[in-house]
Amino acid sequence: MTWVRLAVFVALGCNPVVRGLIRHGLSRSQAVPVVVAGGGLLLAGAVALVIPTVLAQMRKLIADAPQLVASIGDQAWLGHLQSLLPIGVNVEVLLEQGQHALTRPAVLEKLTSGAVSTGIGVFGTVSAIVTIGVLALCLLATLPQVGAGMLALVPARSRTLVTSLVPKSPSQPAGTSAGCSCWRR
């Protein structure tokens, strides 16, 4: 149900752009793909900007991991941590055991299963975005018919009142009606 709500939100958010393109001479069936293509280009541009940076930072972290772990022993806070721990607990020994654990296959298996879980989460997110996008596209393409259908659900005795609440044009000032401008063709 949340996906449907998000799709309605996206469709209603894109509808003013579609209506503007319609005012400039395109039909609704031409304006919707133009808006979808523009949104797709914006999304692709954002991804193209973010992904290389994230990958570069991940590569740097992986490459620097051995030096980072080795440099922990030289940090001033490590001595402070050692003074806070009970007698007999050696932080440097714990660090060496941690370094050794990272080379064991069982630990690496757990780390890679975390990567697989992350991959599954990314796949789920991408599939949700695609589903919401397809729903929004369908709603955006048929918004006038959806509005007319919703209006048909209103009892006949109240239909005139509800129709009067719907703005007659998208340029009508906000707050002058309680309806949705998408109901009118």
Side-chain angles (χ1 to χ4, degrees), residues 37-55:
L41 287 174
L42 285 174
L43 183 64
V47 168
L49 289 174
V50 170
I51 294 291
T53 305
V54 170
L55 289 177

PDB file of all heavy atoms in Angstrom, residues 37-55:
ATOM      1  N   ALA A  37      11.103  10.268 -19.483  1.00  0.00           N
ATOM      2  CA  ALA A  37      12.485  10.275 -19.983  1.00  0.00           C
ATOM      3  C   ALA A  37      13.320  11.325 -19.258  1.00  0.00           C
ATOM      4  O   ALA A  37      14.471  11.069 -18.891  1.00  0.00           O
ATOM      5  CB  ALA A  37      12.484  10.534 -21.484  1.00  0.00           C
ATOM      6  N   GLY A  38      12.734  12.507 -19.030  1.00  0.00           N
ATOM      7  CA  GLY A  38      13.452  13.540 -18.286  1.00  0.00           C
ATOM      8  C   GLY A  38      13.769  13.111 -16.865  1.00  0.00           C
ATOM      9  O   GLY A  38      14.879  13.318 -16.375  1.00  0.00           O
ATOM     10  N   GLY A  39      12.785  12.491 -16.205  1.00  0.00           N
ATOM     11  CA  GLY A  39      13.033  11.981 -14.852  1.00  0.00           C
ATOM     12  C   GLY A  39      14.081  10.879 -14.845  1.00  0.00           C
ATOM     13  O   GLY A  39      14.925  10.816 -13.955  1.00  0.00           O
ATOM     14  N   GLY A  40      14.031  10.010 -15.851  1.00  0.00           N
ATOM     15  CA  GLY A  40      15.031   8.951 -15.958  1.00  0.00           C
ATOM     16  C   GLY A  40      16.428   9.507 -16.164  1.00  0.00           C
ATOM     17  O   GLY A  40      17.399   9.003 -15.589  1.00  0.00           O
ATOM     18  N   LEU A  41      16.549  10.552 -16.986  1.00  0.00           N
ATOM     19  CA  LEU A  41      17.851  11.186 -17.201  1.00  0.00           C
ATOM     20  C   LEU A  41      18.371  11.838 -15.927  1.00  0.00           C
ATOM     21  O   LEU A  41      19.562  11.753 -15.623  1.00  0.00           O
ATOM     22  CB  LEU A  41      17.758  12.213 -18.327  1.00  0.00           C
ATOM     23  CG  LEU A  41      17.637  11.646 -19.740  1.00  0.00           C
ATOM     24  CD1 LEU A  41      17.413  12.770 -20.754  1.00  0.00           C
ATOM     25  CD2 LEU A  41      18.870  10.839 -20.103  1.00  0.00           C
ATOM     26  N   LEU A  42      17.474  12.476 -15.174  1.00  0.00           N
ATOM     27  CA  LEU A  42      17.886  13.068 -13.893  1.00  0.00           C
ATOM     28  C   LEU A  42      18.366  11.999 -12.918  1.00  0.00           C
ATOM     29  O   LEU A  42      19.386  12.159 -12.247  1.00  0.00           O
ATOM     30  CB  LEU A  42      16.733  13.862 -13.278  1.00  0.00           C
ATOM     31  CG  LEU A  42      16.425  15.207 -13.913  1.00  0.00           C
ATOM     32  CD1 LEU A  42      15.166  15.809 -13.296  1.00  0.00           C
ATOM     33  CD2 LEU A  42      17.594  16.159 -13.739  1.00  0.00           C
ATOM     34  N   LEU A  43      17.625  10.897 -12.841  1.00  0.00           N
ATOM     35  CA  LEU A  43      18.010   9.801 -11.953  1.00  0.00           C
ATOM     36  C   LEU A  43      19.337   9.180 -12.386  1.00  0.00           C
ATOM     37  O   LEU A  43      20.213   8.922 -11.560  1.00  0.00           O
ATOM     38  CB  LEU A  43      16.907   8.741 -11.912  1.00  0.00           C
ATOM     39  CG  LEU A  43      17.136   7.565 -10.975  1.00  0.00           C
ATOM     40  CD1 LEU A  43      17.198   8.038  -9.531  1.00  0.00           C
ATOM     41  CD2 LEU A  43      16.037   6.536 -11.143  1.00  0.00           C
ATOM     42  N   ALA A  44      19.490   8.955 -13.692  1.00  0.00           N
ATOM     43  CA  ALA A  44      20.740   8.381 -14.209  1.00  0.00           C
ATOM     44  C   ALA A  44      21.915   9.315 -13.937  1.00  0.00           C
ATOM     45  O   ALA A  44      23.008   8.861 -13.581  1.00  0.00           O
ATOM     46  CB  ALA A  44      20.608   8.104 -15.701  1.00  0.00           C
ATOM     47  N   GLY A  45      21.693  10.617 -14.091  1.00  0.00           N
ATOM     48  CA  GLY A  45      22.753  11.580 -13.796  1.00  0.00           C
ATOM     49  C   GLY A  45      23.159  11.566 -12.332  1.00  0.00           C
ATOM     50  O   GLY A  45      24.347  11.615 -12.006  1.00  0.00           O
ATOM     51  N   ALA A  46      22.165  11.478 -11.449  1.00  0.00           N
ATOM     52  CA  ALA A  46      22.469  11.420 -10.012  1.00  0.00           C
ATOM     53  C   ALA A  46      23.248  10.153  -9.670  1.00  0.00           C
ATOM     54  O   ALA A  46      24.230  10.195  -8.926  1.00  0.00           O
ATOM     55  CB  ALA A  46      21.176  11.494  -9.204  1.00  0.00           C
ATOM     56  N   VAL A  47      22.816   9.030 -10.238  1.00  0.00           N
ATOM     57  CA  VAL A  47      23.512   7.765  -9.987  1.00  0.00           C
ATOM     58  C   VAL A  47      24.925   7.825 -10.554  1.00  0.00           C
ATOM     59  O   VAL A  47      25.888   7.368  -9.927  1.00  0.00           O
ATOM     60  CB  VAL A  47      22.713   6.579 -10.578  1.00  0.00           C
ATOM     61  CG1 VAL A  47      23.528   5.310 -10.593  1.00  0.00           C
ATOM     62  CG2 VAL A  47      21.429   6.367  -9.782  1.00  0.00           C
ATOM     63  N   ALA A  48      25.071   8.402 -11.752  1.00  0.00           N
ATOM     64  CA  ALA A  48      26.391   8.504 -12.372  1.00  0.00           C
ATOM     65  C   ALA A  48      27.336   9.376 -11.553  1.00  0.00           C
ATOM     66  O   ALA A  48      28.547   9.182 -11.593  1.00  0.00           O
ATOM     67  CB  ALA A  48      26.256   9.061 -13.787  1.00  0.00           C
ATOM     68  N   LEU A  49      26.798  10.324 -10.816  1.00  0.00           N
ATOM     69  CA  LEU A  49      27.638  11.153  -9.965  1.00  0.00           C
ATOM     70  C   LEU A  49      27.999  10.462  -8.653  1.00  0.00           C
ATOM     71  O   LEU A  49      29.104  10.623  -8.145  1.00  0.00           O
ATOM     72  CB  LEU A  49      26.936  12.474  -9.657  1.00  0.00           C
ATOM     73  CG  LEU A  49      26.821  13.469 -10.808  1.00  0.00           C
ATOM     74  CD1 LEU A  49      25.974  14.662 -10.388  1.00  0.00           C
ATOM     75  CD2 LEU A  49      28.197  13.934 -11.248  1.00  0.00           C
ATOM     76  N   VAL A  50      27.078   9.693  -8.108  1.00  0.00           N
ATOM     77  CA  VAL A  50      27.276   9.103  -6.782  1.00  0.00           C
ATOM     78  C   VAL A  50      28.083   7.800  -6.834  1.00  0.00           C
ATOM     79  O   VAL A  50      29.003   7.601  -6.031  1.00  0.00           O
ATOM     80  CB  VAL A  50      25.912   8.873  -6.097  1.00  0.00           C
ATOM     81  CG1 VAL A  50      26.049   8.061  -4.838  1.00  0.00           C
ATOM     82  CG2 VAL A  50      25.263  10.207  -5.795  1.00  0.00           C
ATOM     83  N   ILE A  51      27.753   6.915  -7.756  1.00  0.00           N
ATOM     84  CA  ILE A  51      28.365   5.579  -7.785  1.00  0.00           C
ATOM     85  C   ILE A  51      29.895   5.627  -7.896  1.00  0.00           C
ATOM     86  O   ILE A  51      30.582   4.953  -7.120  1.00  0.00           O
ATOM     87  CB  ILE A  51      27.749   4.724  -8.918  1.00  0.00           C
ATOM     88  CG1 ILE A  51      26.276   4.449  -8.631  1.00  0.00           C
ATOM     89  CG2 ILE A  51      28.511   3.431  -9.132  1.00  0.00           C
ATOM     90  CD1 ILE A  51      26.024   3.536  -7.466  1.00  0.00           C
ATOM     91  N   PRO A  52      30.487   6.381  -8.824  1.00  0.00           N
ATOM     92  CA  PRO A  52      31.956   6.381  -8.895  1.00  0.00           C
ATOM     93  C   PRO A  52      32.627   6.849  -7.605  1.00  0.00           C
ATOM     94  O   PRO A  52      33.654   6.312  -7.199  1.00  0.00           O
ATOM     95  CB  PRO A  52      32.267   7.335 -10.054  1.00  0.00           C
ATOM     96  CG  PRO A  52      31.034   7.361 -10.876  1.00  0.00           C
ATOM     97  CD  PRO A  52      29.907   7.170  -9.912  1.00  0.00           C
ATOM     98  N   THR A  53      32.030   7.834  -6.958  1.00  0.00           N
ATOM     99  CA  THR A  53      32.606   8.333  -5.708  1.00  0.00           C
ATOM    100  C   THR A  53      32.548   7.267  -4.622  1.00  0.00           C
ATOM    101  O   THR A  53      33.532   7.042  -3.911  1.00  0.00           O
ATOM    102  CB  THR A  53      31.842   9.585  -5.244  1.00  0.00           C
ATOM    103  OG1 THR A  53      31.860  10.545  -6.297  1.00  0.00           O
ATOM    104  CG2 THR A  53      32.443  10.174  -3.999  1.00  0.00           C
ATOM    105  N   VAL A  54      31.417   6.596  -4.500  1.00  0.00           N
ATOM    106  CA  VAL A  54      31.269   5.543  -3.493  1.00  0.00           C
ATOM    107  C   VAL A  54      32.236   4.399  -3.774  1.00  0.00           C
ATOM    108  O   VAL A  54      32.903   3.885  -2.866  1.00  0.00           O
ATOM    109  CB  VAL A  54      29.811   5.046  -3.435  1.00  0.00           C
ATOM    110  CG1 VAL A  54      29.686   3.806  -2.578  1.00  0.00           C
ATOM    111  CG2 VAL A  54      28.906   6.143  -2.909  1.00  0.00           C
ATOM    112  N   LEU A  55      32.335   3.987  -5.030  1.00  0.00           N
ATOM    113  CA  LEU A  55      33.251   2.892  -5.384  1.00  0.00           C
ATOM    114  C   LEU A  55      34.706   3.270  -5.115  1.00  0.00           C
ATOM    115  O   LEU A  55      35.479   2.454  -4.609  1.00  0.00           O
ATOM    116  CB  LEU A  55      33.060   2.497  -6.848  1.00  0.00           C
ATOM    117  CG  LEU A  55      31.763   1.782  -7.176  1.00  0.00           C
ATOM    118  CD1 LEU A  55      31.657   1.509  -8.672  1.00  0.00           C
ATOM    119  CD2 LEU A  55      31.643   0.485  -6.399  1.00  0.00           C
TER     120      LEU A  55
END
